[in-house]
Amino acid sequence: MLFGGLRGGAASRVRGGRGGGARRLWDPNNPEQKPAPSPGGRRSLPRAVYPQTGYGQLHFLDTDDEAAGSPPVSQRRAAASARYKFQKSDDPYCCAAPVGQRHAFPFAPPYQAADGAYPTAQLYRGYPRAGGALTAEEAEQQARGELGRVLRGADSQEVQLGNLLSRDGLGADGLERMARLRAELLGVYERVVLSDIELADSHAVDQALWKNVFYQVIERFRQLLKDPAADDDTPRIRNVLLTLLDEGAQFFDTLLHKMQTVYQFKLDDYMDGMAIRARPLRKTVKYALISAQRCMICQGDIARYRQQASDSANYGKARSWYLKAQQIAPKNGRPYNQLALLAVYTKRKLDAVYYYMRSLAASNPILTAKESLTSLFEEAKCKTEQLERRRRQDERDGGSGGPAVRGRAAPEDGARSEVWLRPGGRVGAKAASARGAAGESAGDCELDAELGGLSASDLNKRFILSFLHAHGKLFTKVGMESFPRVARRVLQEFGALLRHGPSLLGGTHLLQIVTINMFAVHNALTRGGGEEGGGGGESRSMLQEQSTALGLAVFALMVQRCTQILTDTPAASASASAAEQEDKDGEPEALLRVSDFPADLRELLPAVKVWSDWMLGHPDRWNPPPCRIDVGPDVWRCLARLCNVLARVDHGEVPLYKVDTDEAEGDEELTVLQLKEDRLLAGFVPLLAAPQEPCYVDRHTDTAIAADCKRVTVLKYFLEALCGQEEPLLAFKGGKYVSVAPPPPSAASTDGKTGQDSLSDKEADDVIVESSMSASEGEEDDDGEEEAEGDGESDIRQLKARRHALANKLAQQQKRRDKIQAVLQTSGRLQLEVRPLFLVPDTNGFIDHLVALKKLLHCGSYIVVVPLIVITELDGLAKGQDASGGGGGARGGGHVAAAAAHARGVQEKARQAVLFLEQAFEAREPRLRALTSRGSQLESIAFRSEDTSGQQGNNDDVILSCCLHYCQDKAKDFMPHQRNGTVRLHREVVLLTDDRNLRVKALTRNVPVRDIPAFLNWAKVG
């Protein structure tokens, strides 16, 4: 029962209720019902609602004006662009129409004509009037009524075919009956499509044609091929399936030719990839183009099924059909979804992500692409984590000092071992029982050296994986706390890849990279509250900020590489424009001709131009500038240098003309210049707002050089626009362009960061094992003396009871000390690998070390996580209240007899800390987080009251639980292979506190802990 879903009336609902729509016209079977008034002719027929999973209604941005018309078939547009050439494709339009020859069904029934054609597959342009004179409107409604009855009559045939295919087996009789039903349905569908294209579109006839006549039959035979019980009939089933596919390809090919003949248009005139046309289309041509696109998608599906049935992976023909369908109506998401399927089949992950994003960022999006994207990003995440674990294992096994780099040759038994690694570095080891090690080079330099040792293909694979991993975090919003680290790695790998040469990636992949970055910003804006008011300035969300920062950083690297190539390219002899300069200045200025551009620059220019178009169309997305990723170059300085270099480029080598459409069509010497990137990204929603004006060149000029001239012209216009902003980002000072953009908030202390990657030889050992206080013998003595004065029997019993209680209390304390010591004595078998990223300060840190915390926040290497309970305690201290229940230095360290001056000093420091936190959160500091006791991150502390009544323990335990949210230990990751091997745990969180009790609790839970001055000294900050 593989196709049970088509039984009963389900199949009749495929086209959205055809019968209901047709009954609004005159029905001879129901003469009592009066026809509905139809002043608009064909507009009187109600439109069907398309199902989401089908081919939805396309949105053309032109009018339905019939009077405007289309150019006659015999005329060629003078400004038409060159025809798009498809590699490895068969042109379906170059062959002549078949004459009396079709591919027959595998079992030809006796009802089929001798010439192989279907008896009802004729061109129906109306029917003779039965009697009397009918007006054109009445004749049209009568024809539509007849077609409606024909469509309703096909419902029973659809149900019969569905029931037949749902059976377990298909014998010779079943195959013959299936062929007859399919032939009848084909005749009905083709008749409606070629008679009234608007009626066919309103009832989704072409979709029903594909689903009922081809798709479900093909899927049935594909299931039979996979059935192990049908091994003996596999060759026969495969032959039947291939014959069905050949018949479908021939049918849709013929249907395309017939539609062009009946509705008087040529597909070649509309396969230019233009989303917006200067001249409106006739209504019949518009619907015919929609139907033609669906036919091409069906052709691509048939070619894909053929390769799968033949156990082949050559999807070139299917891809060519999908690309042709995309060129007809670029704003429909269906062709991109099908192209993504081919990319998944051939394991081209970057192409798959690009096409799925194109299918989502379309006027008719395919929403199921979200699930496919999530699956691809999850796969990239798993591969990245696997490579990270392998890299860490190589570091431990291949290091000079063994798995744990210690300060002495052989560690003592019972010494606790910790390996500390700075952000971006490989080795920065510290043993708790020893200190000091050899200094290491900076982490960024080591990573660059590592990337430089990779081959070009390995570097390309590594970058694509990291790039998809970063965008997976932006798309799913899962694991965003590690996004800055992943983004830095992406930029370093992309920079190394550009140094190898842009041709390694190719111009198409570079365009895909910037397109994915644009989609990330667009998707973050959509999630943030719509297209208006949610993407600019102070109202950006954290997701929008990080998406825009990554896109600008990638753009900056490409601009930097373009500037370097242009600087290294020598200028040729003076050109014609330079000769004009000679007349004025007396000395010709050496200009660089566009035709002399190196190949690497030609690969980069399309991607740079596309991102410039996006910035011109959406200035509110990037102005004010977002926070910059610390590893990437400053984009505004890079653009200023590019602006200075482009001044010596002769962009007028090929004249470009901007004329009216009518004038251009009358000029046979001009032809429209369409860039490949504009054609490739036509219909992409984030680029619809970009300025697109037609540009014309002489028909005999080199289009490649003309295209580069246009790109340089657009870049110069874009750079001038940056100077003309309300708050300029570039300015002309001292004879050159300079950046006047305000510094990003996160780049406050990046210059002093280079010295953070060497170990401190004077770093003190911060693993302090506090010996527990001895049992309260003094308490026993005091009580014993008081009780010993009595000599009665009751006094003796009381003394014994008191002694027993004290003994139990002492035993419990000793048991607790033994447990702590047992934990601390396992350091010979326990190693913590600490990569500090999240810093969790206690309340006393804000009271005593607020300046140091500001330095750690602004250095750009760490994320400061403030537990909400700490902010609550600071609020209480700022108001002069004594927060109870904690064990922190600011809470438990006070004495009842403390001086009033000391209390006022603590209150003032608490006020300063609260003011600093409120200002930082209002400014949306990207490296500052607020965390609740349940692990929820907050972007604002405007509402910071939290109910902790259900929490066990005091405030110290709540702070420690916030640290434990970042300690996700999995047994398979840290359990040793040998029985007595070393257990290795990985940590990215560090608790910063001076409180000894809290430090001991952190050690028992394997949470790295330091006081703020010691960590500041180790990190070389300030």
Side-chain angles (χ1 to χ4, degrees), residues 774-788:
S774 60
S776 55
E777 290 87 359
E779 182 182 355
E780 181 180 358
D781 294 339
D782 293 341
D783 294 339
E785 291 178 0
E786 181 181 350
E787 297 294 339

Side-chain angles (χ1 to χ4, degrees), residues 533-546:
E538 301 296 334
S539 61
R540 292 196 195 109
S541 66
M542 184 62 65
L543 187 64
Q544 297 170 20
E545 190 87 358
Q546 292 173 330

Side-chain angles (χ1 to χ4, degrees), residues 862-914:
Y862 309 103
I863 297 176
V864 178
V865 180
V866 185
L868 211 58
I869 190 65
V870 171
I871 303 178
T872 304
E873 290 183 351
L874 289 174
D875 284 334
L877 292 174
K879 297 176 183 178
Q881 301 174 1
D882 185 14
S884 61
R891 302 183 300 270
H895 299 280
V896 177
H902 175 71
R904 287 194 298 269
V906 172
Q907 183 179 5
E908 181 61 26
K909 291 180 180 179
R911 288 175 180 173
Q912 295 177 3
V914 171

